[in-house]
Amino acid sequence: MNPESEFRDGLEELAAHYKEILKLLGEDPDREGLQKTPMRVAKAMQVLTRGYTQDAHKVLTDALFKEEYSQMVIVKDIDFYSMCEHHMLPFYGKVHVAYIPNGYITGLSKIARVVDIFSHRLQVQERLTQQIKDCIQETLKPLGVMVVIEAQHMCMQMRGVEKQNSVTTTSDFSGAFNQGTTREEFMNLIRQK
């Protein structure tokens, strides 16, 4: 889906619901500044949730190459934005991914695309971390995968506890990354600038 021009079924209905939400909030959806807001929000939500229509496994297999490289491959500092499923507010940050190939590699940009697909769904950071790891493990069948996500959550910054500088870090790993020395090597490499 091209986020600027293609939208999924249900767009008009979604916009109608947002118009009703504006009314329930005490706004006049017919005033000049809000007349186009319901459709704008509906389109934005479809873009922010486009990951439901995309296949992350296919992204990896479309760029699968036989290669006898068996050292750590790291793609770090992948920017991401997602929507918290509890409050539908954004959370955002960086994803760091490593895998150790087992006969096959994938295009480096495909790792970032996997992050993009899973982050463009209603999420919790813990599940997002696991989904990225599981997808790479199941598709590439490497010797191991590790994913670390560092994120700021607007649901903690704008409402509730209102802690603007808090960062949440999650990790998940498999295979060779069960060894402490391999995990430590990855963590040292992602800290380098």
Side-chain angles (χ1 to χ4, degrees):
M1 175 172 85
N2 178 342
E4 300 303 318
S5 63
E6 298 174 23
F7 295 97
R8 302 189 304 268
D9 290 340
L11 185 65
E12 295 289 336
E13 186 178 2
L14 193 56
H17 285 292
Y18 280 113
K19 186 172 184 174
E20 291 304 311
I21 288 170
L22 288 172
K23 288 179 190 175
L24 290 169
L25 292 174
E27 268 293 353
D28 174 9
D30 294 320
R31 74 174 171 84
E32 184 181 4
L34 291 177
Q35 288 174 355
K36 295 182 180 179
T37 297
M39 184 55 74
R40 285 187 194 110
V41 176
K43 287 179 177 179
M45 288 305 291
Q46 282 204 354
V47 169
L48 294 171
T49 60
R50 69 180 179 255
Y52 290 119
T53 64
Q54 299 171 326
D55 184 345
H57 295 277
K58 185 174 183 330
V59 165
L60 291 176
T61 58
D62 282 352
L64 195 61
F65 308 102
K66 184 142 184 62
E67 191 64 50
E68 293 307 317
Y69 184 80
S70 61
Q71 299 301 313
M72 197 179 303
V73 176
I74 299 174
V75 182
K76 69 178 189 173
D77 295 330
I78 302 168
D79 292 318
F80 84 96
Y81 298 88
S82 193
M83 297 285 284
C84 165
E85 69 181 35
H86 299 143
H87 302 99
M88 291 182 68
L89 289 172
F91 68 99
Y92 59 94
K94 304 278 186 192
V95 178
H96 315 288
V97 178
Y99 75 99
I100 300 174
N102 187 18
Y104 289 93
I105 60 171
T106 190
L108 296 175
S109 69
K110 304 310 178 190
I111 301 294
R113 291 268 297 126
V114 167
V115 170
D116 188 55
I117 288 169
F118 287 116
S119 65
H120 280 81
R121 299 175 182 185
L122 296 180
Q123 280 289 9
V124 294
Q125 184 174 335
E126 296 87 345
R127 182 186 319 116
L128 177 60
T129 307
Q130 187 174 27
Q131 286 176 330
I132 294 165
K133 186 265 300 177
D134 288 347
C135 179
I136 295 167
Q137 184 65 50
E138 292 164 9
T139 308
L140 299 181
K141 302 192 182 346
L143 299 175
V145 179
M146 185 161 178
V147 176
V148 172
I149 298 180
E150 302 167 299
Q152 294 183 284
H153 293 251
M154 296 305 282
C155 57
M156 284 183 64
Q157 295 175 336
M158 293 176 64
R159 55 158 307 283
V161 72
E162 295 184 13
K163 299 301 178 201
Q164 282 69 39
N165 298 310
S166 64
V167 175
T168 300
T169 303
T170 52
S171 68
D172 197 4
F173 50 87
S174 65
F177 289 95
N178 284 308
Q179 299 173 10
T181 54
T182 308
R183 281 196 313 278
E184 184 178 341
E185 178 185 354
F186 171 63
M187 295 304 290
N188 287 336
L189 289 168
I190 66 173
R191 285 186 195 111
Q192 295 176 3
K193 292 295 173 195

